[in-house]
Amino acid sequence: MKQRKVPMRKDVISQEMKPKKEMVRIVKTAEDEISIDPTGKKSGRGAYVSLEPDAVKTAQAKKILEKTFGIDVSADFYTELFEYVDHQKARQELFGERK
């Protein structure tokens, strides 16, 4: 059986290409609202962030999402993103990667 190609995406923080399943999508809507997109299907401008809590802290310190989307990103959003990434990382370590 032919092996499927793994979809890769570029992390906006580290600029590394990683498998899409190991990342979370952040979306900016037409109304300039920013949100986490766990399904990867919301409409709007998307950017991918790896599931590394330290990377989220780096993004907040260097204002990477502000530069990527061209809007101000609140500290509350970074807190929400950090909690989401931390939770997903813990789930991944606990249950392993699902196929």
Side-chain angles (χ1 to χ4, degrees):
M1 189 159 71
K2 190 175 181 182
Q3 192 164 359
R4 292 181 174 230
K5 185 174 135 183
V6 176
M8 303 289 278
R9 298 292 183 265
K10 190 173 190 176
D11 182 0
V12 295
I13 300 169
S14 68
Q15 302 299 313
E16 293 178 21
M17 295 295 285
K18 295 184 180 182
K20 186 177 175 183
K21 288 186 176 184
E22 295 177 12
M23 305 184 84
V24 63
R25 184 171 184 247
I26 311 298
V27 176
K28 180 186 112 174
T29 63
E31 294 81 30
D32 285 344
E33 295 173 358
I34 192 166
S35 63
I36 298 171
D37 181 12
T39 62
K41 296 181 180 181
K42 285 185 182 178
S43 62
R45 165 87 164 86
Y48 287 86
V49 176
S50 65
L51 293 176
E52 294 295 328
D54 293 338
V56 175
K57 290 180 181 179
T58 302
Q60 185 173 13
K62 294 183 177 181
K63 299 186 181 255
I64 293 173
L65 292 179
E66 283 88 339
K67 293 173 187 172
T68 301
F69 292 120
I71 60 171
D72 288 333
V73 178
S74 69
D76 292 339
F77 177 76
Y78 278 111
T79 303
E80 178 186 350
L81 179 60
F82 179 81
E83 290 171 358
Y84 180 84
V85 166
D86 192 41
H87 177 74
Q88 292 301 319
K89 176 89 172 172
R91 279 184 57 119
Q92 203 174 48
E93 290 172 359
L94 185 61
F95 297 115
E97 190 169 336
R98 294 184 182 185
K99 293 186 179 181

